[in-house]
Amino acid sequence: MIRTRFAPSPTGTLHIGSAHTALFNWLFARHHGGQFLIRIEDTDRERSRPEHVSAIMDGLAWLGIFPDEAPVFQLTRQARHAEVAMELLASGHAYRCWCTPEELTAMREKARAEGRPPRYDGTWRDRDPAEAPAGVAPAIRLRAPREGRTIVDDLVQGRVEVANTELDDMIILRSDGTPTYLHAVVVDDHDMRITHVIRGDDHLTNTFRQAQVYDLMGWSRPEFAHVPLIHGADGTKLSKRHGATSVFEFRDQGYLPEALLNYLVRLGWGHGDAEILSVEEMIALFDLDGVGRAASRMDYAKLGHVNGVWLRRAEDERLVAEVRARAPEIDAQKLLAIMPALKERARTLLELVEGSRFLVAPASPMEAKAAGLLTGESRAMLQELAGVLVETDFAPGALDAALRSFAEANGKKLGDVAQPLRAALTGRTTSPPIDATMAALGPGEVLARIRAVAN
Ligand code: GLU
């Protein structure tokens, strides 16, 4: 059974890069009929906060990503991490190290002065514990292999390897009895029976040390898949400078969850030239062989395009509810009437909100260009038009026909009638098609707005 996990550190809300990682893990599990789990990596007690845990879970829930089991909290598992460290100690694959912080600092400085990377020199690796200094609590270090290479066949990166001489004996249990992060992750992934570790490629270098823990415990390693990170348009790590980065920001800016998922899945993964994918299609098609090695770039304009596609596919009732959640003053019936026309051009829910404000009242003050259309002549024309509209059935087809024949009878082009009319009704020069705009407002409101400008 394939089991994946998303392992966020609860130090903030759900970042778009983390959502990307969660999505890939979730899709891979779903695609293979497996299970997707969550582990909250809350061992950094300074920075981890319960409210960040809720924010991350809420962000995932908004995206429709739910784990198949209750989340595991890493901090609750420290006794188990220590137990495994003791097992490694008992089997001789780990040893106690009594180096003091001062000795370790001196060791690093010496290495640096000699132009070597600052590594632990193995002082206690083969030294007799009987020589341990009194009053110093020991840390436990992995007895990592010194010869050969550690090789990882990564499902995205291919074969990656390092000479074991490059890796020092890492601490797995600190002198205060707390586990180190790299050790904890291995124990947790093993106990959670994770088969595939899919995560950002910034963790690739950690994998060698983690692989060593698996090997020395005699545990089979999971498969690893290190996915390239998301960069900004300029190729640097995505940050606030580039635009929204938190999933909540995207939600608040009016992106639909299915659109964000659709956009995210295409960052670093592809299947032929498929661009617009529903969640069901993603589950059907997603696999790791479609994940590329190049960093992807966040393209906000493209996200807007994808969101527009999903807005047009969305049920009008749902969009009405979304708009009214942001602007309750807009009438639900009028909004529902205009929604099919409105969503044709919008890219975000916020644009839908802006585009439907005319239903409450015309823009105030009027857009300068719109005001410019309301000349003495066009006001007189609108007054005359009002007389025709009183007789007209307020359905888009009938309204369109009425406007056309009015224009023709007056020797005008349709636009010469529709534009001043639009200015009068909305205070703007752009709105959904004029017949749909009028039908949504209804006869009473249309005639009142015409009169307000005509007099
Ligand atoms: N907690 C790590 C992070 O948030 C994830 C580690 C992992 O996936 O192994 O970057």
Side-chain angles (χ1 to χ4, degrees):
M1 162 81 80
I2 282 183
R3 282 165 64 94
T4 62
R5 69 1 178 232
F6 169 53
S9 307
T11 55
T13 65
L14 185 63
H15 186 273
I16 193 77
S18 301
H20 184 250
T21 303
L23 175 64
F24 278 25
N25 276 284
W26 182 72
L27 287 176
F28 183 73
R30 284 283 167 283
H31 176 80
H32 290 283
Q35 290 169 336
F36 166 74
L37 314 188
I38 290 181
R39 180 173 67 244
I40 303 293
E41 305 209 312
D42 53 353
T43 47
D44 181 344
R45 294 171 103 152
E46 300 270 289
R47 296 172 63 219
S48 299
R49 299 249 184 292
E51 59 268 30
H52 296 324
V53 176
S54 332
I56 290 168
M57 297 304 289
D58 289 351
L60 290 173
W62 179 71
L63 289 169
I65 296 179
F66 297 93
D68 293 308
E69 292 174 10
V72 170
F73 287 80
Q74 193 159 55
L75 193 59
T76 64
R77 294 184 33 83
Q78 293 203 326
R80 171 65 180 149
H81 303 143
E83 180 181 81
V84 172
M86 291 306 163
E87 272 183 50
L88 285 164
L89 195 61
S91 63
H93 292 309
Y95 60 90
R96 290 198 172 89
C97 166
W98 280 272
C99 282
T100 60
E102 294 71 34
E103 285 176 294
L104 294 172
T105 307
M107 201 182 289
R108 272 194 294 275
E109 275 165 12
K110 182 159 175 278
R112 217 171 277 129
E114 292 169 6
R116 290 182 288 115
R119 294 204 189 93
Y120 178 68
D121 65 4
T123 300
W124 285 96
R125 186 173 164 112
D126 298 310
R127 199 164 155 189
D128 187 348
E131 294 172 26
V136 179
I140 296 181
R141 288 183 183 269
L142 200 66
R143 192 185 298 277
R146 290 218 155 150
E147 275 98 51
R149 309 177 76 74
T150 296
I151 299 173
V152 173
D153 285 308
D154 190 275
L155 295 179
V156 172
Q157 306 292 332
R159 172 160 292 196
V160 286
E161 50 186 295
V162 65
N164 288 332
T165 48
E166 299 288 315
L167 303 173
D168 59 4
D169 292 344
M170 73 157 168
I171 294 180
I172 53 177
L173 207 65
R174 297 186 192 92
S175 56
D176 64 2
T178 59
T180 54
Y181 173 68
L182 292 179
H183 173 67
V185 167
V186 171
V187 176
D188 292 345
D189 282 337
H190 171 78
D191 288 359
M192 290 166 77
R193 304 192 312 286
I194 299 304
T195 60
H196 292 73
V197 170
I198 303 170
R199 60 189 174 193
D201 64 6
D202 50 337
H203 289 284
L204 184 60
T205 52
N206 290 339
T207 309
F208 298 115
R209 292 173 179 286
Q210 293 180 341
Q212 291 184 337
V213 177
Y214 282 101
D215 296 352
L216 293 174
M217 276 305 287
W219 290 340
S220 60
R221 301 182 198 171
E223 297 286 352
F224 291 99
H226 286 90
V227 176
L229 297 183
I230 302 173
H231 287 169
D234 57 1
T236 62
K237 193 165 181 252
L238 188 66
S239 73
K240 290 247 170 286
R241 286 181 300 116
H242 298 106
T245 53
S246 132
V247 165
F248 286 157
E249 282 176 86
F250 287 101
R251 179 195 62 189
D252 296 345
Q253 290 180 8
Y255 294 92
L256 296 177
E258 63 268 42
L260 197 54
L261 291 177
N262 185 166
Y263 180 71
L264 282 180
V265 79
R266 289 287 293 106
L267 285 182
W269 172 83
H271 181 87
D273 50 17
E275 284 292 344
I276 299 301
L277 295 157
S278 67
V279 169
E280 291 70 31
E281 288 166 327
M282 291 178 207
I283 291 172
L285 298 175
F286 187 86
D287 215 339
L288 291 173
D289 54 10
V291 178
R293 273 196 238 177
S296 42
R297 293 191 182 197
M298 185 73 199
D299 179 343
Y300 292 90
K302 187 164 174 206
L303 171 61
H305 166 76
V306 172
N307 201 54
V309 171
W310 285 102
L311 281 179
R312 283 182 277 294
R313 291 192 184 187
E315 294 283 346
D316 293 338
E317 287 76 8
R318 173 179 168 207
L319 298 178
V320 166
E322 290 288 357
V323 168
R324 295 195 73 242
R326 290 165 171 81
E329 67 278 15
I330 303 178
D331 178 80
Q333 282 312 313
K334 290 180 182 169
L335 200 47
L336 191 59
I338 199 70
M339 195 54 78
L342 205 57
K343 72 183 184 185
E344 271 320 305
R345 287 193 333 209
R347 287 173 312 158
T348 66
L349 292 170
L350 290 192
E351 287 184 14
L352 285 182
V353 171
E354 285 317 305
S356 52
R357 286 211 188 276
F358 77 87
L359 293 171
V360 178
S364 174
M366 242 185 211
E367 278 177 10
K369 262 193 185 164
L373 290 170
L374 295 173
T375 58
E377 193 195 334
S378 60
R379 283 165 201 258
M381 175 196 73
L382 288 176
Q383 187 118 43
E384 207 181 311
L385 176 64
V388 175
L389 293 176
V390 184
E391 315 275 301
T392 309
D393 175 21
F394 260 62
L399 286 164
D400 182 64
L403 290 182
R404 281 176 197 281
S405 63
F406 179 82
E408 205 177 322
N410 288 272
K412 290 183 185 297
K413 284 188 265 164
L414 181 61
D416 296 334
V417 176
Q419 276 308 86
L421 178 57
R422 176 171 280 120
L425 298 182
T426 69
R428 307 173 60 167
T429 54
T430 53
S431 81
I434 194 68
D435 51 349
T437 301
M438 293 166 83
L441 284 170
E445 191 64 28
V446 166
L447 292 171
R449 290 187 191 188
I450 290 178
R451 275 185 209 117
V453 298
N455 295 325

